[in-house]
Structures are given as structure tokens and as C-alpha cells.
Amino acid sequence: MSRTQQNVKSVSKSLANRKAGRPKSSQLQGDALKEHVIDVASLVYGEWGYHESSVEKIAKAAGISRPLFYRLFDSKEQIVDIVVQQKNTELLLATESAIKPLTELMPIIEAGIDVYFKWCKKNRLVVNTIYREINDPLTPACKHYQQVIDIQMANYFAKFKQIGLLRLQKELFLALMKVVEYAGNETIRPGQQEQDYADMQQKIVRRIVFSTLASE
């Protein structure tokens, strides 16, 4: 069995476990079929990365033909772009929801850190690939990265303004966001499955961020 066959089989098995009881692709139409193919594409992208993913791999894993794929999507780039945007939007909305009711700096920061680590864990395969590709200008991950950072920064500082906290420097806060980002992604790197390690990383990054902000 070739590497392509092995990985397609792996992706198909993952999809079966994730979508148990869901109708086969041949039974789906319209938006439900598009959602099915996007779900499969997220697994293929997470397994292979942008450059080694292909329409052929996605179509085969989804159980559809190439012509049908092209009736649903324009290209591999379009569907991977959708996958990346969906995961980024999930993070942005979860963070916004978590910090919305809070009125003090440290609880806001702690909630944001917690959301990020949970998002990494929930979307381990895709997030690991996104993080690996954020510096590759040919990938959708890189294309959307700065926009996500800008939106997160804007949301946090709108919240800080709301609670009357205006002294934080944006450059410092951005650097701390990068620390959280690195630590969160360190816990989902290939071969890393230990929950104790993830908990330790989260505690360490919380101490770094809290001590830095406390000195401001």
C-alpha cells in the first residue's frame, strides 16, 4: 500500500469515527454535502499540510468524484482557506465570549489563555498545521494570520477600554500573545499527547504573563 493510500485510509477512518451515524456522501446534497467535504478537507489538510494536500486526496477521502468537487469548490486553495477561516473564527468567537462578562485584567487574561489552550486541544491536527504554516506566504494560514492577530488585539483592547484600563502597551501585549501562542502549540506538536505536559505549559505561560503584567 502506498503512502497516499495509507494516509487516505487514515483520514477516512478518522472521519468515520468523528461522524458516526452521519449519512454517506452519496446521500447528502447542497449545504450538507459541502459541509461534509469541508470536514474531510480539514482532516486531509491537518494530515498533509497545504502543499501536499490535493483535490484528489480530498475527493477520495470524502467519497466524491473530482467533477463533483469542482461543482462545489473552485480549488484546493478555496476549501483549505475555508477550513482555516472556520478554525480562526472559532477561536475569535470563543475568546470574545469568554472575556465579555469579566471586569478585571487578570481574569480576562486567564480566560483568554484557557480558551487558546482548549482551542488547540480540540483542533489539534488542524491547528498544528496552521501554526506550522503561518510564515509560509503561499498558504492560507499565513494569509489570515495577521488579520486574526489584529482582531484579537482589537477585541482585547476594546475590553480594556471598557473597564477603564488604558495603560497597557500594545507591543507588550502582542509579545505576550505570542508567548501564549507558542506554548499552546507546543502542547499539540506531533507525538505530544500528555495532558500533564499541557497543564504544566499552561501554568508556566500564565505565570509569565501575569508576572509581566503585574510589573507594568
Side-chain angles (χ1 to χ4, degrees), residues 4-169:
T4 298
Q5 291 172 324
Q6 289 173 342
N7 281 277
V8 167
K9 184 177 180 181
S10 173
V11 169
S12 299
K13 183 178 179 181
S14 297
L15 181 68
N17 291 335
R18 185 180 171 192
K19 298 293 183 181
R22 186 170 180 170
K24 296 179 180 179
S25 58
S26 59
Q27 299 173 304
L28 300 173
Q29 295 181 351
D31 291 342
L33 179 59
K34 290 189 75 170
E35 181 188 348
H36 165 73
V37 180
I38 291 168
D39 285 343
V40 173
S42 71
L43 295 171
V44 174
Y45 169 65
E47 175 98 16
W48 289 88
Y50 177 70
H51 295 296
E52 292 191 50
S53 294
S54 67
V55 170
E56 180 181 4
K57 289 172 183 172
I58 295 169
K60 187 169 183 178
I64 63 172
S65 65
R66 283 173 60 92
L68 178 54
F69 176 92
Y70 281 113
R71 287 201 291 272
L72 299 170
F73 304 97
D74 294 336
S75 62
K76 175 191 80 172
E77 180 179 7
Q78 183 191 36
I79 195 168
V80 173
D81 193 276
I82 291 170
V83 168
V84 172
Q85 286 194 68
Q86 284 185 346
K87 297 308 178 186
N88 288 339
T89 299
E90 180 184 328
L91 173 63
L92 292 170
L93 291 176
T95 304
E96 186 177 9
S97 177
I99 69 175
K100 185 177 181 179
L102 305 176
T103 57
E104 296 181 4
L105 175 61
M106 295 311 183
I108 290 171
I109 301 303
E110 185 164 14
I113 293 172
D114 190 50
V115 165
Y116 191 82
F117 274 74
K118 286 180 178 177
W119 176 73
C120 287
K121 181 180 179 181
K122 178 184 175 183
N123 303 288
R124 173 184 294 270
L125 194 63
V126 175
V127 172
N128 183 265
T129 302
I130 290 174
Y131 188 67
R132 191 172 66 245
E133 296 183 350
I134 57 175
N135 293 312
D136 181 346
L138 300 178
T139 66
C142 180
K143 171 185 170 184
H144 293 289
Y145 180 66
Q146 189 57 52
Q147 181 184 33
V148 173
I149 293 294
D150 291 343
I151 293 173
Q152 282 284 58
M153 288 280 288
N155 287 343
Y156 273 113
F157 276 83
K159 184 63 181 180
F160 297 154
K161 183 178 180 180
Q162 180 187 11
I163 65 174
L165 183 63
L166 304 175
R167 60 184 174 81
L168 276 180
Q169 297 181 13

